[in-house]
Amino acid sequence: MAERVVPITGGDATDNFWWGRMASARHGVVYDACVAFGLLAAATVAGFLLDRPDLSQGIVIVYVLAVQLCAFFTWSRIYCLVSSAAAVALYSYFFTEPRFSMAALGGDYPGTFVIMFIVSLVSSSIAIALRRALVRMATGARRTQMILETNRMLEHCATRGDIMHAAGTQLARFANAPCVWYRMEDDGADLVPECAYTPTGDAASMRLIAPEMPPFLPGSAYVGTPLDATFGGAASHGVYLTVHAGEASVADDGCQGRVLGAFALSVPGEALSDEERAVADAIVSEAELALDRAQALEEREKAAVLAKNEQLRANLLRSISHDLRTPLTSISGNADVLLDQGSTGTAVLDRDTRRGLLKSIRSDALWLNATVENLLAITKLEGGGMHLTTTLELMDDIVEEALRHVDPAAAEHKIDVVSSEEPALVSVDARLMVQLVVNLVNNAIAYTPAGSHIAIRIEAGEGRVRCSVEDDGPGIAPDDRARIFDSFYTVNHGLADGHRSVGLGLSLCKSIAVAHGGEISVDAAEPHGAIFRIELPAADIELDKEPQDA
């Protein structure tokens, strides 16, 4: 029975190992005997062609060459010995006097025959030794090539699914047979098939690729077993390679930790030699290391997210505690003054002073309310807890509604609205979009001196609706523009530290714009000032016309 030769993929590497794979293929006795007989017969025919006075010396060389080729194309040394003796006998029978008899073996040619036999045997033995060395080199090269290729594939895998796909595909290519990945169930009772892989890299269900494999594997049989274990019973067909959790340590009883699953090669257990099993074990070991690396990377990313969340929470607490303290102190102080004024029963404060205190309380209360609204909105948007309720709206109506809710200090500025010549229709959550425009206008009011000019321009075209808020204030430095939409970041302060500057307004604007599939940006205005631009997809409306009767 011929031995199976494991194919190696990888382009040029396959061609480089052709001689080694051909040399490593063992064949049956009949095949080897036919090869030896054919080579000696060919040498005899060549001898008749050279049987001339001036060429007869080359007949011995032809027979020696035939013996060497026999050593190359067969495996056992017995064929070298037999072919060497047969070459001497054939030369004596056909090409020595008297012809067609073996009398020459006891005549004048015994020295020649002995030398011919020794040369043939020694040269064929050397050929076998070189061939076996070539086989060992080819086997080691194939193993190294397969492991390196697997390692390169696994380096680009970030998830467990990608790692299983790469390892399963490599095992299928190596065995030239389907490979099934059995995943351990959560209760640890059984291993169930999750996916099957072919040598070409295709992935599908086990029923489509390897229906002969068992529908499940007993999980208890795999705990503590070596990687190349072949199990009987329900798993009688195939070679099963257990995959353990990479982070688990090896226990005293030899158990390699928690079992994640097993790769099953759809080949008989005796089809893999010891060297081939070692290569399969190495592929599985590479997959375990990749799983360990992926888990470590996942844990590191989780730790980074937790650290970032802690930093954001610290920034929030610092900003809230610092920025809310001033308006709360102002509200409580003004309220105490008004309460004292009422308790004395005499009019200590005139009407304008009382009105000023009440306006200050109202202003601080409105700012606190806006800050809380921004905080709640950005938390819901970034956490996925807010669902957009979109309706068809004109951007002009949204801007008009927003101007009714801006900071009362807007009265100290000149605000102009330039509408679009075409209908600027968008599909948005009206409440959130109004809040976006309010935040941009309030930001312009807060960072420009009284009497500044604020222009709101609306444009529509090319399937987009654009709205810009431009002011002629001091502008924003280039370094600040890159971070101005980050949470808790304020101009000239880095992290929010100043009065009424928590740093959430512009961050909320970006979140709202992105949630609607749009963009927001900031640029410098000429000759000075800042321009905030919002770009949203225009609503695509098709007016269905009712057919009219002719």
Side-chain angles (χ1 to χ4, degrees), residues 28 106 212 294 484 535 550:
E212 70 280 2
I484 199 169
E535 186 171 337

Side-chain angles (χ1 to χ4, degrees), residues 36 70 96 198 230 264 288 292 421 440 507 528 531 543:
C70 182
T96 59
T198 64
T230 303
E288 289 182 335
D292 190 16
E421 296 180 357
L440 291 181
S507 177
H528 54 81
I531 306 176
L543 298 178

Side-chain angles (χ1 to χ4, degrees), residues 10-34:
D12 296 338
T14 304
D15 300 331
N16 294 337
F17 297 134
W18 182 85
W19 285 99
R21 288 184 286 132
M22 182 188 69
S24 63
R26 300 184 183 182
H27 304 281
V29 176
V30 176
Y31 173 87
D32 292 340
C34 291

